[in-house]
Amino acid sequence: HTLFHVPVKIARVRDQEYAADKWSALFGKDGLPIDVLISPEQEVARAIMRRLHAPGAIEMIELADNAIRLVGVRLGEQCPIINTPLRQLAALFPDLNIQVVGVVRDGRPFVPSDQDQLFPRDEVYFVADTLHVPRAMAAVGQDLPESHRVIIVGGGNIGRRLARIIEEEDRDISAMIIERDPEQAKEIAQRLARTTVLNGDAMDPDLLEEANASRADTIIAVTDHDETNILASLLAKRYGTKQAIALVTRPAYASLLQPLDIDVIINPRAITASTILQLIRRGRVRAVHSIGDSFGEIIDIEAMESSGIVGKPLSESKLPHGAIVGAIARDGKVIIPRSDTVIRPGDRVVLFATESVIKKVE
C-alpha cells in the first residue's frame, strides 16, 4: 500500500481477537489499510458446522444466497443409483432438482457426461435445490440422522471457535472438547458455558471411555498435528463413534486416507483459498470454492447481458469441455438446466469448471 499503491489488500489473520468488534476501527482508510481479513479458523469451523447438519456429506457448500447447494458424497455398495446412467436420474426422480457435476474415481477426477454411470466408492459432487437436499441425500444412500453428540479433539483456535459456534447457534448439539494441555483446557472451560472439557490424550482408551465415544455421533479432530487427527479419528471409530471428521493439511496424506475409516477430510488451505478466489475472479462472481485436490472450482456468478452464454440455448453456448452449468436461480426458483435452457441477464448461475478451463470460463 505505502510503496506500490496496490489497490486491494487481503490478509490472513489467525488471532481471533482481531475480529472482535472493539478492534473494527483498526482496519480501513484511517487505520491499517487492509480491505479484507481472512480467518482460516473461522472458515474451517463454518465448513465443519455445515457437515454436522449433513451427515454423510464429504462436502457441503451454500450458493446463490443458499438457494442452491453443492454436495459431495462417497457412494457405498447399497447406493440406489449405482450402475445407472446419469441421463436416467431425471426419470427415476422426476421431482428432484439435482445435477451431478463432478466425479472422482480411483483418484481420477472428471466431469461426467449423461452416458456415464456411478460406481461404489466414487466421490460424487452434485448441485441441488437446497429444499431438495434431504431427498437427494436419500437418493444417494446417505439419509443419516444429524449429529447431536460431538467430541472435538484439540482446543486450539479451530476447536474453540467451533465449540463457540455450536453454543451460540445450535442448542440441539452437545459438544465436548478433549485438550491435552492442562492450562489451555482450564482456560477453555472458563470461556465456554455449555461445552464439557476433558484434559487428556484423545488416544488414551480410558479417556475415550470417559468421553463416552461409543455413543457419540461425530468425532472432530482438529489439533495442529495431522497424525494425531488421523489416529484419534480411527480410534474413536473403533470405539463406536458413528462419523469421523479429521483436519489434514498435508496433501500427500489425502490419497492415503480414502481406504481408511475416516468419513470427512478437512483441508484448511483449500477452504482459505476459496475465500480468496471469490475476491480475485473476474466478472460478477459472488462465490468461488475449490473442489477436491486440484480438481476444479464451483463458481456462483451473476449473468451479465454482455456474457457469451446469455440469451441463447446452452447447447449453443460453446462452454469449454470440462465446464458444466449445474443450476440457475431465477425469481426465487431453482432451475436444473437442460440443453435448451436459456440463461437470462441477472440469473445466478452455478457452474463447475476443472482447473484447466477456468480462464476460458471467466
Side-chain angles (χ1 to χ4, degrees):
H1 172 78
T2 306
L3 295 179
F4 302 105
H5 310 292
V6 175
V8 179
K9 280 76 64 180
I10 304 168
R12 183 186 76 169
V13 177
R14 300 194 65 186
D15 193 326
Q16 296 296 307
E17 285 296 313
Y18 286 108
D21 291 339
K22 63 180 178 179
W23 304 119
S24 59
L26 183 61
F27 307 98
K29 61 181 181 180
D30 297 324
L32 294 174
I34 297 172
D35 300 287
V36 182
L37 288 181
I38 293 176
S39 165
E41 289 77 12
Q42 174 79 355
E43 301 296 336
V44 169
R46 285 286 175 194
I48 294 171
M49 197 69 189
R50 289 195 297 268
R51 286 156 176 83
L52 291 180
H53 290 300
I58 60 174
E59 186 66 88
M60 174 69 75
I61 295 171
E62 298 170 358
L63 301 157
D65 299 326
N66 201 25
I68 298 167
R69 290 193 183 181
L70 174 97
V71 183
V73 294
R74 189 173 292 115
L75 302 186
E77 299 283 350
Q78 306 305 317
C79 174
I81 62 171
I82 58 173
N83 303 320
T84 303
L86 293 178
R87 68 176 183 276
Q88 294 182 15
L89 288 185
L92 290 172
F93 306 100
D95 300 324
L96 193 60
N97 273 1
I98 178 175
Q99 168 114 306
V100 176
V101 296
V103 178
V104 180
R105 178 176 299 153
D106 299 328
R108 183 181 68 89
F110 63 95
V111 174
S113 71
D114 62 358
Q115 308 295 322
D116 283 309
Q117 299 180 29
L118 301 177
F119 300 116
R121 295 180 296 282
D122 280 356
E123 287 184 12
V124 177
Y125 296 90
F126 64 85
V127 171
D129 184 327
T130 295
L131 297 176
H132 294 192
V133 166
R135 289 173 52 211
M137 294 297 282
V140 295
Q142 298 289 348
D143 52 338
L144 305 173
E146 289 192 12
S147 296
H148 295 289
R149 294 169 56 88
V150 303
I151 299 172
I152 302 169
V153 178
N157 284 331
I158 295 174
R160 193 179 310 190
R161 184 64 199 160
L162 178 60
R164 188 174 294 281
I165 292 173
I166 290 172
E167 285 196 354
E168 293 174 352
E169 300 181 9
D170 200 325
R171 299 196 68 86
D172 291 334
I173 299 177
S174 63
M176 174 183 293
I177 291 180
I178 297 177
E179 169 54 46
R180 191 168 188 171
D181 182 87
E183 290 301 317
Q184 193 160 327
K186 188 176 180 180
E187 182 190 346
I188 296 166
Q190 291 170 344
R191 291 193 175 210
L192 297 173
R194 288 198 302 117
T195 305
T196 303
V197 181
L198 292 182
N199 173 220
D201 187 346
M203 287 183 283
D204 179 351
D206 292 334
L207 190 70
L208 287 176
E209 289 279 2
E210 185 181 347
N212 219 349
S214 61
R215 295 184 57 201
D217 296 312
T218 306
I219 185 164
I220 305 163
V222 287
T223 73
D224 291 332
H225 304 286
D226 289 355
E227 295 82 358
T228 300
N229 296 339
I230 293 166
L231 293 173
S233 298
L234 293 173
L235 191 59
K237 288 292 291 278
R238 187 173 181 181
Y239 272 76
T241 304
K242 298 179 183 68
Q243 179 182 220
I245 299 175
L247 185 78
V248 178
T249 59
R250 295 188 185 182
Y253 284 172
S255 59
L256 301 175
L257 297 177
Q258 189 170 355
L260 300 179
D261 195 19
I262 298 177
D263 302 281
V264 180
I265 303 298
I266 299 288
N267 182 340
R269 294 173 188 236
I271 292 169
T272 306
S274 294
T275 308
I276 297 170
L277 284 171
Q278 70 189 63
L279 300 168
I280 62 175
R281 285 277 173 249
R282 292 182 296 174
R284 291 191 184 175
V285 174
R286 298 294 189 89
V288 180
H289 295 272
S290 181
I291 302 300
D293 185 15
S294 302
F295 185 3
E297 295 174 12
I298 192 82
I299 304 173
D300 171 7
I301 191 165
E302 182 181 339
M304 294 184 288
E305 206 161 334
S306 58
S307 169
I309 65 170
V310 167
K312 64 178 75 169
L314 279 177
S315 58
E316 300 175 13
S317 65
K318 298 180 181 177
L319 276 173
H321 181 70
I324 180 172
V325 176
I328 301 166
R330 176 189 300 159
D331 300 329
K333 295 183 179 179
V334 175
I335 302 165
I336 298 300
R338 305 295 175 227
S339 60
D340 59 349
T341 300
V342 176
I343 295 175
R344 301 175 187 170
D347 283 353
R348 290 288 287 275
V349 180
V350 172
L351 59 84
F352 177 75
T354 57
E355 278 205 335
S356 60
V357 301
I358 288 169
K359 287 297 179 188
K360 291 181 182 177
V361 170
E362 282 185 332

